Amino acid sequence: MFRLLICSPKNPKIPNSIRYHITDIYLDELDKVQSIEEAGDEFVRTLSQLIEPFEKLRKEGSDKTARTKAKDLLEDARLDQGE
């Protein structure tokens, strides 16, 4: 379901407010499951797959705010530390 919400950046049936909310909380919630700063190599590889939908949203999203929020998520300092 999650991939459908984010990976369909032009689907008008999905409210942008849901995209905004998921993008706002995604890394915070992910960090609760596994600290990104303390992640091992296996999690770092998984992390790249977990943020793929946001890369697609940033590139293909029809809503400027959604693209900006995805860009902000992808530029989050925690992702640099996890790599």
Side-chain angles (χ1 to χ4, degrees):
M1 179 68 172
F2 165 74
R3 288 186 69 84
L4 177 64
L5 291 173
I6 298 298
C7 287
S8 301
K10 295 183 180 180
N11 185 343
K13 292 184 179 183
I14 300 171
N16 282 319
S17 58
I18 292 176
R19 289 185 183 103
Y20 302 161
H21 179 65
I22 290 173
T23 304
D24 285 342
I25 67 166
Y26 191 71
L27 288 181
D28 295 333
E29 295 299 320
L30 186 59
D31 207 26
K32 290 178 185 177
V33 174
Q34 166 66 56
S35 173
I36 298 171
E37 290 88 1
E38 300 170 7
D41 290 340
E42 183 178 339
F43 184 74
V44 171
R45 285 189 296 275
T46 302
L47 184 60
S48 67
Q49 293 175 339
L50 292 172
I51 62 171
E52 265 180 31
F54 299 99
E55 291 171 351
K56 184 173 182 175
L57 179 61
R58 180 180 55 87
K59 291 177 186 172
E60 300 175 15
S62 57
D63 180 73
K64 183 178 179 179
T65 302
R67 289 191 314 267
T68 301
K69 287 184 174 287
K71 179 180 177 273
D72 292 345
L73 178 142
L74 294 168
E75 293 175 352
D76 190 290
R78 291 175 287 187
L79 293 178
D80 291 336
Q81 293 173 354
E83 294 177 355

